[in-house]
């Protein structure tokens, strides 16, 4: 029997292309694992009305962790249009299977590293004032995104159920809304808990302590989102007290977008609730060459699902054109989580060498190599 059972979830679009790349590298590292293919994604929504079939959930329960490619998500109306005729009009509701997975398996913590590897032609070079030489700006950030709460809880209404509408209208601030009529009002909620906020902040500080990082920045908007943002900010300050050697600072989501673009090298560990973490992780990825370089890990207490931050890029599906580096760095995070520290370190070093040498590059960084060429080159570097 293999040491690990890994749920293999290519998902949609280019998910399959990049997972094949991961397989080349994992096989080369001789990871003692069995890979269990699992159905997930758009096709299963269209054909079965469920993007995360029950058999997949069951299969996942018998695995050590999951590796995930990419997912196609569409708004409700478009999703319903694409159901097979037999399933149309049955009141089926689309949900993103990756968001559901995060919630079902309580994968409360999303870690998203953004690191500028030397030789990446798309590394951020700064603006003329802060960086007149135009050389690479060294970026090494770790984003801690709360992964199950906030606006991702799926508590949304349109039209508003009358009871909800009436309850809300008891608040005098709802006066202008009342005149609009409940059928014309949509509501999405942002719900956070003290436990969720404290946990994500603690993990960010613990990580900073363990890795010798000196700054942890909270991303929020408590001046407007007074209750949810306020609770998160209070939890952050409370946790920070136990880490007197680490600079704990706070930024509003809008301001950090500007500061991150201007002085990204100043930031180290970032912590945010779900939606702000989602936004800022794409921004940070943009600074290190785009989503082709951004891995991520969805972590729970005992289970984890690893996925690159990028989407499914349907127009490139099956063309083996996209950059697999995000996926390979994701595999590296998985190896680390499994306790395969030396394989993880070797893999990162090999990826860094391939980027630095710049001989085998996909189209996004000006090359002509395929997804699998890059994986084979990484494998070659592994020796
Ligand atoms: C991400 C993605 C997902 C999210 C989508 C696909 C639902 O953008 O992992 O960052 O919003 O979390
Ligand atoms: Mg995102």
């Amino acid at each position: 029997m293999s040491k690990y059972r890994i749920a293999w979830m290519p998902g949609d679009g280019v998910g399959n292309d990049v997972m094949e790349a991961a397989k080349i590298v994992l096989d080369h590292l001789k990871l003692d694992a069995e890979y269990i293919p699992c159905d997930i994604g758009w096709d299963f929504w269209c054909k079965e009305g469920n993007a995360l079939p029950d058999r997949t959930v069951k299969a996942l329960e018998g695995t050590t962790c999951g590796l995930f490619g990419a997912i196609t998500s569409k708004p409700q109306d478009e999703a319903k249009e694409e159901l097979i005729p037999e399933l149309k009009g049955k009141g089926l509701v689309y949900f993103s299977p990756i968001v559901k997975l995060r919630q079902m398996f309580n994968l409360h913590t999303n870690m998203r590293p953004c690191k500028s590897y030397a030789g990446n032609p798309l590394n951020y070079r700064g603006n003329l004032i802060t960086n007149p030489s135009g050389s690479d700006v060294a970026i090494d950030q770790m984003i801690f995104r709360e992964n199950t709460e906030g606006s991702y809880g799926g508590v949304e209404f349109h039209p508003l159920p009358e009871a909800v509408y009436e309850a809300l209208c008891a608040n005098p601030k709802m006066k202008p809304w009342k005149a609009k009529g409940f059928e014309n009002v949509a509501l999405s909620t942002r719900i956070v808990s003290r436990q969720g906020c404290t946990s994500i902040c603690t993990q960010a500080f613990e990580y900073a302590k363990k890795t010798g990082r000196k700054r942890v920045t909270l991303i929020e908007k408590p001046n407007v989102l007074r209750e949810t943002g306020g609770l998160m900010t209070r939890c952050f300050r409370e946790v920070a007290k136990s880490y007197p050697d680490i600079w704990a600072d706070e930024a509003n989501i809008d301001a950090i977008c500007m500061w991150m673009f201007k002085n990204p090298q100043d930031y180290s560990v970032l912590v945010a609730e779900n939606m702000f973490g989602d936004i800022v992780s794409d921004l940070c990825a943009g600074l290190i060459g785009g989503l082709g370089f951004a891995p991520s890990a969805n972590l729970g207490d005992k289970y984890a699902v690893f996925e690159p931050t990028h989407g499914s890029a349907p127009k490139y599906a099956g063309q083996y054109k996209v950059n697999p580096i995000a996926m390979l760095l994701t595999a590296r995070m998985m190896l680390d989580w499994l306790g395969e520290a030396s394989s993880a370190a070797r893999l990162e070093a090999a990826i860094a060498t391939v980027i630095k040498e710049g001989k085998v590059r996909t189209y996004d960084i000006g090359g002509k190599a395929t997804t699998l060429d890059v994986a084979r080159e990484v494998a070659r570097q592994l020796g």
Side-chain angles (χ1 to χ4, degrees), residues 19-45:
M19 290 282 281
E20 247 183 76
K23 190 71 176 21
I24 291 175
V25 167
L26 292 171
D27 284 349
H28 197 86
L29 284 165
K30 299 200 166 45
L31 184 68
D32 185 5
E34 185 188 341
Y35 300 96
I36 292 100
C38 292
D39 295 340
I40 190 166
W42 195 251
D43 277 357
F44 303 97
W45 160 253

Side-chain angles (χ1 to χ4, degrees), residues 253-270:
I253 176 69
D254 52 341
I256 194 106
C257 290
M258 183 275 291
W259 286 115
M260 193 66 79
F261 192 70
K262 205 158 180 281
N263 301 322
Q265 72 282 2
D266 290 356
Y267 294 93
S268 181
V269 178
L270 304 154

Side-chain angles (χ1 to χ4, degrees), residues 102 112 145 152 277-279 281-282 309:
R102 291 170 185 163
R112 298 190 150 176
R145 166 185 178 187
Y152 281 72
D278 179 46
I279 294 170
S281 56
D282 274 27
T309 302

Side-chain angles (χ1 to χ4, degrees), residues 208-261:
K209 188 172 149 191
K210 206 173 78 195
T211 54
R213 291 168 182 254
K214 294 278 165 263
R215 182 179 187 178
V216 177
T217 306
L218 170 69
I219 301 167
E220 250 308 326
K221 186 82 184 177
N223 54 343
V224 175
L225 301 169
R226 290 178 191 282
E227 299 310 335
T228 47
L231 180 59
M232 177 63 139
T233 303
R234 287 194 297 278
C235 292
F236 176 79
R237 290 180 186 170
E238 193 52 43
V239 171
K241 284 186 195 156
S242 306
Y243 303 85
D245 299 335
I246 297 170
W247 176 19
D249 75 322
E250 298 164 16
N252 284 337
I253 176 69
D254 52 341
I256 194 106
C257 290
M258 183 275 291
W259 286 115
M260 193 66 79
F261 192 70

Side-chain angles (χ1 to χ4, degrees), residues 84-254:
I84 55 167
E86 300 87 293
L87 293 176
K88 283 203 171 106
K90 291 210 158 151
L92 291 166
V93 177
Y94 177 78
F95 55 83
S96 158
I98 185 66
V99 172
K100 182 101 185 242
L101 263 188
R102 291 170 185 163
Q103 262 143 13
M104 246 181 180
F105 288 83
N106 194 18
L107 308 175
H108 44 69
T109 300
N110 195 326
M111 280 175 82
R112 298 190 150 176
C114 284
K115 193 162 160 182
S116 53
Y117 288 94
N120 179 347
L122 298 181
N123 276 345
Y124 185 64
R125 297 206 152 67
N127 65 39
L128 280 175
I129 296 164
T130 56
N131 184 19
S133 69
S135 59
D136 280 13
V137 175
I139 295 169
D140 186 3
Q141 298 163 347
M142 179 63 86
I143 300 159
F144 279 81
R145 166 185 178 187
E146 200 296 320
N147 216 22
T148 51
E149 302 189 343
S151 357
Y152 281 72
V155 182
E156 302 191 280
F157 309 98
H158 182 236
L160 281 187
E162 227 165 327
V164 177
Y165 189 64
E166 290 308 324
L168 278 174
C169 284
N171 185 328
K173 286 188 189 141
M174 280 296 288
K175 211 169 163 203
W177 295 92
K178 196 155 184 167
K180 294 179 187 171
F182 70 91
E183 69 283 13
N184 295 318
V185 178
L187 173 72
S188 299
T189 59
R190 185 195 209 226
I191 309 179
V192 301
S193 70
R194 186 183 302 281
Q195 291 85 339
C197 296
T198 301
S199 160
I200 199 71
C201 293
T202 305
Q203 292 185 74
F205 279 99
E206 272 301 304
Y207 176 83
K209 188 172 149 191
K210 206 173 78 195
T211 54
R213 291 168 182 254
K214 294 278 165 263
R215 182 179 187 178
V216 177
T217 306
L218 170 69
I219 301 167
E220 250 308 326
K221 186 82 184 177
N223 54 343
V224 175
L225 301 169
R226 290 178 191 282
E227 299 310 335
T228 47
L231 180 59
M232 177 63 139
T233 303
R234 287 194 297 278
C235 292
F236 176 79
R237 290 180 186 170
E238 193 52 43
V239 171
K241 284 186 195 156
S242 306
Y243 303 85
D245 299 335
I246 297 170
W247 176 19
D249 75 322
E250 298 164 16
N252 284 337
I253 176 69
D254 52 341

